[in-house]
Amino acid sequence: MKFKQVRERAAPRRWGVSIAAVIAAGLPVAASADTLRDALAQTYVSNPTLTGARAGLRATDEDVAIARAQGLPDVSAAASYNRFVKRSANSFTSPKKSIGGSVTATVPLFEGGFVRNSIKAAKARVEQGRASLQATEGDVFTAAVAAYMDVIRDSAIVDLNAGNVKVLQTNVQASKDRFQVGDQTRTDVAQSEARLSVARSSLQRAQAELDNSRQTYLEVIGKFPDNLEAPPPLPGLPALSDDAVEIAVANNPDLAAAKQAARAAEYDIGIARAQRMPRLQAFGTGDYTDYQGTLAGGAAGVRQVDKTATVGLQAQIPIFQGGEPGARVRQAQARKGQAIEAQTAAERAVIADARVAFSRYQAALATIDSSLQAVSANELALEGVRAEQSVGSRNVLDVLNAEQELLNSRSDLVTAKRDAYVAGFALLAAMGRAQAKDLGLDGGSLYDPIANYKRVNSRIWDWDEDPKPKPVATTTKGQPSVSAVPPYTPVATPKK
């Protein structure tokens, strides 16, 4: 299983191998296992944070249609039924009742730039929403990768601690046997038993951490993990921190969203300025009134129906509005300034995130090298201490300490492998390369935000609706889980 190759602007990068071998080595691999690609694909279609962000973007898409509607014709109709309960003394001209109706159409001709700037601001916010959706994808995928690697790490640490308990159980039994023949003292037996008790508590803590990681996996990915495979190599990562920063500044979706927010704020100034501009609209009205034969007492020859039609132009010229337009313009200008500063802050954050992620990735790789050397050295040291104990130059405590050092170094190695992979993926996210399109999640169709925009952009029917919203993300209620922590059974304190 491989991720889709990430393409550069000029030429494609090759897959990185500096971390692949050490990540895969020593991690459990099982038949019919879940893969990281499976986990990310599951996350993509069922994570509620992602599905909610898509719904939010669809709502933002509608702002363009709402803004455009303000520049389209408006047609309305009215109907009435009247009974005149008090009439003038001249009943000849006063009707008793009437029914009527009217149709009015208005067409905006000039709005001072209000509609034009509203549409442009809405489109800029759609672009902002698309960038924010990409950022959400990167954040959710980073959380999914971390959850995946946490389960692998904690499963390995549980196995290491379980193996340590078995070794110490054998040591305790051996110490008791040698004590029976006078080859060891009661102190040696007590030290072995104490270390076994500590190992059992460490195993319990490791099992609890594995349970916690499994629950986080369920929360982010939507199902419990099942025999996770070792992850694939990460796409090629930059060799220098400055290269990572350059790519991040060009591609990070958070920075792109901040730029679009500043662009929308510029159009908001035009919207505010339009409030003090003249407005011109054309209108047409048709009226129909039927007096139901009650006009002039129903006299023959008297017209009982009245029909009129009016067309014209109407201009509204603001002269004085109490300073509100000026205040709104100044307010929009201040918010534009705020958006500019937010863009600078986003750029700073992107640069810092890229450098920190790069530093953590490099540190994790160095830790893997150191941990590999420590494991090799501690394996050799344990072998030597055991040999020296067999000839009487080392005691039981020396062997126990050597075993603990080896366990610690192996645990550190597993943790370092997890940290390196997560840091490498976080670096991809900081560079804007951790979205579904970058990871090759092509098992099904990817969500296309532009498709929904095109679908709703030209709709002008007032009675148009979408189907009733239904849940998209999967619930985790009722997911079967088997705890890694066995039920607690009190252990009797051994008698002295």
Side-chain angles (χ1 to χ4, degrees), residues 86-399:
K86 183 174 177 60
R87 297 187 291 164
S88 66
N90 184 3
S91 60
F92 184 80
T93 58
S94 291
K96 293 181 180 180
K97 60 182 178 180
S98 69
I99 59 174
S102 65
V103 177
T104 302
T106 58
V107 181
L109 300 179
F110 179 72
E111 295 290 319
F114 177 81
V115 175
R116 180 181 69 254
N117 285 290
S118 294
I119 294 173
K120 290 182 178 179
K123 289 182 176 180
R125 290 191 168 94
V126 168
E127 294 293 335
Q128 177 188 356
R130 291 173 185 173
S132 296
L133 178 59
Q134 290 181 345
T136 301
E137 276 188 19
D139 292 342
V140 170
F141 283 149
T142 300
V145 168
Y148 189 95
M149 296 304 299
D150 285 348
V151 172
I152 290 181
R153 175 200 61 194
D154 293 338
S155 297
I157 290 178
V158 166
D159 291 342
L160 288 173
N161 279 274
N164 188 48
V165 168
K166 291 181 180 179
V167 169
L168 290 176
Q169 286 174 335
T170 302
N171 288 350
V172 169
Q173 187 60 48
S175 295
K176 289 180 179 180
D177 292 343
R178 296 179 71 177
F179 172 72
Q180 293 295 331
V181 298
D183 194 31
Q184 286 189 355
T185 66
R186 171 65 67 181
T187 301
D188 294 327
V189 175
Q191 288 174 336
S192 297
E193 290 177 338
R195 193 60 62 90
L196 176 59
S197 297
V198 171
R200 284 171 173 161
S201 66
S202 297
L203 176 59
Q204 288 281 333
R205 287 195 298 270
Q207 290 168 333
E209 287 298 321
L210 176 57
D211 275 354
N212 179 67
S213 296
R214 283 168 52 82
Q215 291 297 328
T216 301
Y217 188 101
L218 172 65
E219 178 185 359
V220 177
I221 297 173
K223 63 182 289 290
F224 278 112
D226 182 23
N227 297 329
L228 303 185
E229 278 192 1
L234 289 170
L237 297 173
L240 299 175
S241 176
D242 289 343
D243 293 339
V245 169
E246 181 181 355
I247 296 172
V249 170
N251 298 295
N252 187 277
D254 285 320
L255 181 55
K259 291 178 179 178
Q260 292 298 330
R263 180 166 160 255
E266 179 66 32
Y267 294 125
D268 288 341
I269 297 175
I271 295 173
R273 286 173 176 161
Q275 188 174 347
R276 58 193 181 195
M277 298 293 291
R279 297 192 177 191
L280 178 65
Q281 64 180 16
F283 68 90
T285 303
D287 292 287
Y288 172 86
T289 305
D290 184 350
Y291 294 105
Q292 299 286 289
T294 62
L295 186 63
V302 177
R303 184 181 179 86
Q304 300 291 327
V305 177
D306 186 21
K307 299 178 182 179
T308 62
T310 306
V311 296
L313 297 174
Q314 182 178 359
Q316 181 180 359
I317 304 174
I319 297 176
F320 178 71
Q321 302 177 62
E324 180 183 351
R328 290 191 178 276
V329 171
R330 294 192 302 272
Q331 182 184 62
Q333 290 172 327
R335 286 176 176 164
K336 166 67 174 179
Q338 182 183 26
I340 292 173
E341 300 308 314
Q343 180 179 336
T344 303
E347 184 180 70
R348 286 187 179 187
V350 165
I351 292 172
D353 289 346
R355 287 176 176 165
V356 169
F358 183 87
S359 178
R360 287 176 176 170
Y361 175 67
Q362 293 295 322
L365 291 181
T367 302
I368 289 177
D369 289 339
S370 299
S371 297
L372 285 170
Q373 295 177 15
V375 168
S376 178
N378 281 320
E379 288 174 344
L380 182 61
L382 176 59
E383 181 181 352
V385 169
R386 283 175 174 168
E388 292 170 4
Q389 187 214 15
S390 65
V391 297
S393 59
R394 293 278 188 170
N395 57 34
V396 171
L397 184 59
D398 293 329
V399 175

Side-chain angles (χ1 to χ4, degrees), residues 20-64:
V22 294
I23 287 295
L27 293 179
V29 180
S32 301
D34 287 343
T35 65
L36 181 55
R37 186 183 183 281
D38 295 335
L40 292 179
Q42 172 80 13
T43 302
Y44 184 74
V45 299
S46 67
N47 184 275
T49 301
L50 264 180
T51 54
R54 291 168 191 155
L57 178 57
R58 291 196 296 271
T60 302
D61 289 342
E62 302 293 350
D63 287 339
V64 178

